[in-house]
Amino acid sequence: MAARPSSAKQSTNKPKSDRAVSYNEFKEYEGQRYTGMKIGRSHKWYYDRGEWKETKITPDLWQIGYTVTKRRAGRAPEGSGVPVGTEYHWYVLAHQNATKQNANAYTTSLSGLKFKIAHKRAGSEKWSATPKTQRKRMITFLQGVIEDLEKQNDGREHVVSRRGKRAPAERRKARPPRPTVKRATRRRHAARRAVLRHLDE
């Protein structure tokens, strides 16, 4: 009789322990060490009713802000994950498709990439990267995405950039001379500077 509860306890606790160990142990991806979820796995979240604000900057460019609480659809493995209070800085690049339903409502979907810029440990006042380094990581990520888009337009084989790391051969290529800057291009540059100023604030 005594052995039965012991057996049940082992079968209940062991999977949780194994999953937590697997989650927190060091892994390697293309020479980069990391912890947490394995490459290829996915999370599912539910978002509470949030607040989305947007300000028009140019005819085609909007500045957006979104604040909401997201909640895991399932439950995190017991003992896994970072401590409560840990913060992350992600850079999101995505397609938003919207269809107007009536004067005040749209159906909308979002799909794209999010790239980790930095993190701040619970109880710490410092981020893992300085603002300058964070901007450099964003630039590298965006350059990788641009290269992927150019490959798609050229009909060349491509892999969607996930780490923002450019291939050595691509980095060594000399860039062609820039064409003369026209009025529309100047407007785009002004809009881009406005976005960068917002990111620095």
Side-chain angles (χ1 to χ4, degrees):
M1 296 293 292
R4 192 172 300 171
S6 174
S7 174
K9 185 176 180 180
Q10 287 178 359
S11 62
T12 302
N13 292 341
K14 188 174 180 181
K16 291 183 179 179
S17 175
D18 289 347
R19 290 175 66 190
V21 169
S22 173
Y23 187 92
N24 293 322
E25 69 184 357
F26 279 102
K27 307 167 188 67
E28 188 169 316
Y29 177 73
E30 295 185 0
Q32 178 185 3
R33 296 186 76 198
Y34 72 98
T35 58
M37 179 182 288
K38 290 183 179 179
I39 301 298
R41 298 193 65 185
S42 61
H43 278 312
K44 182 179 179 180
W45 301 88
Y46 295 115
Y47 282 69
D48 292 350
R49 182 175 179 176
E51 183 179 82
W52 176 289
K53 290 184 177 180
E54 53 189 33
T55 303
K56 195 168 187 175
I57 298 176
T58 75
D60 298 317
L61 181 66
W62 293 74
Q63 179 178 302
I64 60 173
Y66 184 50
T67 304
V68 71
T69 297
K70 69 175 187 176
R71 305 180 190 278
R72 194 185 300 272
R75 296 185 66 86
E78 187 175 345
S80 69
V82 298
V84 172
T86 303
E87 297 182 42
Y88 290 94
H89 177 190
W90 300 91
Y91 190 78
V92 178
L93 188 66
H95 298 279
Q96 184 188 33
N97 296 311
T99 304
K100 190 168 185 176
Q101 301 299 301
N102 56 54
N104 300 304
Y106 285 79
T107 58
T108 182
S109 63
L110 196 70
S111 62
L113 304 170
K114 76 172 190 176
F115 180 70
K116 181 183 168 186
I117 302 298
H119 67 270
K120 184 163 65 173
R121 298 184 185 279
S124 174
E125 296 298 322
K126 292 185 178 180
W127 287 88
S128 60
T130 65
K132 183 176 181 179
T133 300
Q134 291 184 40
R135 286 191 292 271
K136 284 183 178 179
R137 286 177 58 79
M138 292 165 61
I139 290 168
T140 302
F141 167 65
L142 290 171
Q143 286 172 334
V145 173
I146 289 169
E147 288 172 3
D148 288 339
L149 291 171
E150 288 174 341
K151 289 176 182 178
Q152 291 179 48
N153 268 359
D154 294 342
R156 290 179 286 160
E157 185 178 354
H158 68 280
V159 177
V160 174
S161 174
R162 295 189 183 276
R163 294 187 299 129
K165 187 174 181 180
R166 306 171 68 194
E170 294 290 337
R171 286 200 299 267
R172 289 194 295 267
K173 282 184 180 179
R175 293 189 177 275
R178 293 183 177 180
T180 303
V181 178
K182 296 184 179 179
R183 186 176 301 171
T185 305
R186 287 199 296 269
R187 286 200 297 267
R188 287 197 297 271
H189 288 174
R192 184 173 60 185
R193 286 195 296 270
V195 174
L196 291 175
R197 282 198 301 270
H198 170 69
L199 293 172
D200 286 337
E201 292 174 356

